[in-house]
Amino acid sequence: MAALVLRIKFPPTYPLIYKTLRVDANFTVAEAVKYIADAVNVQNLLAGSEGLFVPDEKKWLDDDQPLSSYESLQDVEHIEFRDKKDKPGPSPSDKEERCCTII
């Protein structure tokens, strides 16, 4: 079994922020999402549309592709476990400045 060690960032509504897990590289992205949810005991928080997002590349991983097909996963700082419905908005890890007007 080839394994990837992934640092995973979770949404703010989850009970943890980051978790480093060893994940089977032969898992498809969909299988990895289920495995990650089981490993950190957040199955009850799943909306059914979660996926894995690579903020360094600003791209979603395809559900039916094995993790091993993404060579860059070994080099990224972290990946994000989040709802694909968040797709249009910026990644929470984007380094762009966010501010508001304070009056």
Side-chain angles (χ1 to χ4, degrees), residues 4 6 23-34 51-52 54 59-71 73 79 84:
L4 290 170
L6 300 174
V23 181
D24 187 334
N26 295 317
F27 281 172
T28 63
V29 172
E31 291 170 330
V33 165
K34 182 177 179 343
L52 299 177
V54 182
K59 77 174 189 180
W60 288 93
L61 302 183
D62 295 322
D63 285 343
D64 59 346
Q65 291 295 312
L67 294 176
S68 60
S69 68
Y70 296 101
E71 291 182 21
L73 287 181
I79 61 172
K84 290 182 184 177

Side-chain angles (χ1 to χ4, degrees), residues 35-68:
Y35 172 79
I36 293 164
D38 290 344
V40 297
N41 199 26
V42 294
Q43 309 90 323
N44 60 331
L45 298 175
L46 296 179
S49 55
E50 286 77 15
L52 299 177
F53 183 77
V54 182
D56 291 352
E57 299 173 8
K58 296 187 180 358
K59 77 174 189 180
W60 288 93
L61 302 183
D62 295 322
D63 285 343
D64 59 346
Q65 291 295 312
L67 294 176
S68 60

Side-chain angles (χ1 to χ4, degrees), residues 75-91:
D75 301 323
V76 296
E77 181 183 333
H78 69 272
I79 61 172
E80 295 180 3
F81 181 98
R82 64 182 198 171
D83 194 326
K84 290 182 184 177
K85 294 176 186 172
D86 293 341
K87 192 183 240 182
S91 167

